[in-house]
Amino acid sequence: MKIVFNRMLIASLLCLPAVAMAADDPLTADTVQNNLNFVWTLIAGFLVFLMQAGFAMVETGLTRAKNAANIMMKNMMDFCIGSLAFWAIGFGLMFGVSNGYFGTTDFFFSGATGDDAPWNFAFWMFQVVFCATAATIISGAVAERTKFSAYLIYSVFVSALIYPIFGSWAWGSLYHGGGWLEDLGFIDFAGSTVVHSMGGWLALAGAIVVGPRIGKYTKDGKVRPLPGHNIPLAALGVFLLWFGWYGFNPGSTTTGDTSIASIAVTTTLAAAAGSVAAMLFTLMKYGKSDVGMTLNGALAGLVGITAGCANVTPLSAVIIGAVAGVLVVLSVLFLDRLKIDDPVGAVSAHGVCGAWGTLAAGIFDQAGFSWGTIGVQVTGIVACFIWAFGTGLILFKCIDLTIGMRVTKEEEMTGLDFSEHGANSYPDFQTISVASDYNGLTGSKKAPSESAATVSKDNTIHI
């Protein structure tokens, strides 16, 4: 017996609107692929958005308890304010029809019209979370001593001007624009330089202008560690960031096809290699593996592979990640020698390892090694540093000369939770300094590094 199903019956059985399967709208392979592209790109964008939570957790965990609420506010507002700035100005500068240096159209997302409008919305959603990532990287480097108002102001400028203009040089042709770096053949598939080095070099400028935290460096120039108050929270942040990176790298295809599998593999291997390398390096150097550096090693590997995740082999990914894992440790130590205080290692993990990853994308390119390609990669790295660090210094110095970048000494000692927000992240605990009470508790003549600890109402010390 021959059974015949009509389209209306299939639609009703599947609980789908009949119009979705109307006779004049045939379901084709191209339609399915197009819909899959939408779904994959948006899911990837949502994964990258989750990285905001990861950054917030890492920064909070690696800093002291008295500043936790302030850090939550910063990571919340740099996305909210940055999204509005990117919608109004940044997207047009980055992806509008270009004059050779930046876009001149599509402000307030005015170009999202016509038959292409649905894809334009999906593309904007994917790009705004990348912009937010670049902006939030700065937060960790200036944590625990920066005015909240100053943070809001520079988040607007980074999202509206600084990040988009460089982005137009490398990625402008993804929409209506074009850029001189991409015309040279610059390789940065998902943003080792465009996003991460951009954020890292801006963070470096911010850390220099705002200065180190009180007590970070002794009068004789020695480094005095100020350990974070919650390593488990920092570890959770790293896992969230790693998970979000599967939207960052594979999602940059903006296409639901088989290529995302290999990109996911190179991303995973580089992160794993970076973490293992950092663990082993600190073990050999200090006799014990450092937890914070091991966590940052994973992030360094992820940043390092972001540029070349689509054009290197798995073996190359392991090498890139391992080098990044060692580089992040060496960079943190080097910046401390220069007395540049970066509480979470943002400059090292994102700026330095982003530059390494961009160079490595040319060195390990599966298309073959070429000095011409290396030259282009170096050009992009240098251009990013000059643009981001230069504009960052100008921006932060202008803010410092007007409203001031830094809170007062008293506010910093009290904690930004109270001084900036009138809040307390841990109301059932009293924040204390281990350095001030350690001798009395243990009888030791040598106090450890200052740290944020808590003492509960029954006087139990929680470190």
Side-chain angles (χ1 to χ4, degrees):
M1 180 174 62
K2 185 176 182 180
I3 301 176
V4 179
F5 290 95
N6 63 47
R7 298 177 69 85
M8 294 296 290
L9 176 59
I10 294 175
S12 64
L13 289 172
L14 296 176
C15 299
L16 297 174
V19 67
M21 301 189 69
D24 59 351
D25 186 22
L27 188 64
T28 65
D30 288 342
T31 302
V32 172
Q33 181 63 58
N34 183 61
N35 290 342
L36 181 59
N37 295 344
F38 270 83
V39 172
W40 170 239
T41 299
L42 288 171
I43 288 176
F46 304 153
L47 286 171
V48 177
F49 171 74
L50 184 63
M51 293 173 71
Q52 288 292 124
F55 280 114
M57 296 300 99
V58 169
E59 184 181 347
T60 303
L62 294 180
T63 53
R64 290 166 291 183
K66 61 186 179 181
N67 300 302
N70 172 257
I71 290 167
M72 291 297 116
M73 283 289 286
K74 289 194 302 176
N75 281 271
M76 182 69 176
M77 294 315 299
D78 65 31
F79 180 82
C80 295
I81 290 179
S83 294
L84 296 174
F86 189 71
W87 164 73
I89 302 172
F91 185 84
L93 289 176
M94 188 165 178
F95 294 111
V97 176
S98 178
N99 59 14
Y101 297 98
F102 53 83
T104 59
T105 63
D106 297 282
F107 299 110
F108 294 94
F109 203 38
S110 57
T113 58
D115 294 338
D116 293 332
W119 177 250
N120 295 342
F121 283 108
F123 182 73
W124 184 91
M125 188 64 230
F126 189 68
Q127 291 300 327
V128 73
V129 290
F130 274 58
C131 177
T133 298
T136 203
I137 288 169
I138 308 167
S139 177
V142 299
E144 302 199 281
R145 73 271 200 203
T146 302
K147 288 182 179 179
F148 184 60
S149 56
Y151 188 83
L152 297 181
I153 292 172
Y154 73 66
S155 291
V156 171
F157 280 92
V158 170
S159 302
L161 298 171
I162 299 176
Y163 166 77
I165 289 178
F166 183 83
S168 73
W169 300 348
W171 288 350
S173 67
L174 294 176
Y175 194 65
H176 293 156
W180 64 272
L181 270 178
E182 59 183 337
D183 289 344
L184 293 176
F186 183 59
I187 303 171
D188 192 1
F189 184 76
S192 283
T193 284
V194 176
V195 178
H196 293 282
S197 281
M198 171 62 61
W201 302 141
L202 285 166
L204 176 61
I208 290 173
V209 172
V210 78
R213 291 168 291 173
I214 296 171
K216 175 64 178 178
Y217 304 106
T218 62
K219 292 182 179 179
D220 57 0
K222 293 182 179 180
V223 179
R224 187 166 177 259
L226 303 177
H229 80 285
N230 196 327
I231 292 299
L233 198 63
L236 174 62
V238 170
F239 282 118
L240 287 173
L241 286 168
W242 191 331
F243 181 61
W245 235 286
Y246 292 121
F248 213 97
N249 287 1
S252 291
T253 62
T254 64
T255 304
D257 63 15
T258 58
S259 66
I260 61 180
S262 62
I263 296 173
V265 169
T266 55
T267 300
T268 302
L269 291 174
S275 190
V276 170
M279 178 192 69
L280 293 176
F281 186 74
T282 55
L283 179 63
M284 290 185 291
K285 185 172 179 62
Y286 303 111
K288 293 181 180 180
S289 55
D290 185 273
V291 179
M293 289 296 188
T294 300
L295 294 174
N296 254 337
L299 298 183
L302 288 164
V303 171
I305 196 59
T306 295
C309 57
N311 72 300
V312 302
T313 65
L315 176 59
S316 296
V318 171
I319 297 171
I320 292 169
V323 172
V326 175
L327 269 179
V328 72
V329 179
L330 294 174
S331 177
V332 167
L333 297 176
F334 177 72
L335 290 177
D336 268 338
R337 288 186 180 182
L338 298 179
K339 296 185 176 59
I340 298 174
D341 184 15
D342 179 1
V344 303
V347 176
S348 302
H350 298 276
V352 173
C353 292
W356 155 244
T358 304
L359 179 63
I363 295 173
F364 297 99
D365 188 2
Q366 291 187 85
F369 181 86
S370 166
W371 285 110
T373 299
I374 299 301
V376 172
Q377 296 302 98
V378 171
T379 300
I381 292 167
V382 173
C384 181
F385 179 81
I386 293 173
W387 172 254
F389 185 70
T391 56
L393 277 180
I394 294 170
L395 172 62
F396 293 125
K397 198 62 182 177
C398 286
I399 295 173
D400 193 42
L401 292 173
T402 51
I403 67 170
M405 279 285 291
R406 188 164 185 149
V407 298
T408 65
K409 179 179 179 180
E410 292 74 20
E411 289 172 331
E412 183 177 345
M413 295 297 290
T414 302
L416 275 60
D417 285 5
F418 179 78
S419 64
E420 292 279 23
H421 310 289
N424 185 349
S425 296
Y426 304 98
D428 292 333
F429 297 87
Q430 177 187 352
T431 303
I432 65 170
S433 169
V434 173
S436 64
D437 293 294
Y438 188 76
N439 289 345
L441 292 171
T442 66
S444 171
K445 294 182 179 180
K446 184 178 180 181
S449 304
E450 182 185 45
S451 176
T454 55
V455 56
S456 64
K457 294 178 180 178
D458 62 359
N459 292 322
T460 301
I461 299 295
H462 302 268
I463 299 176

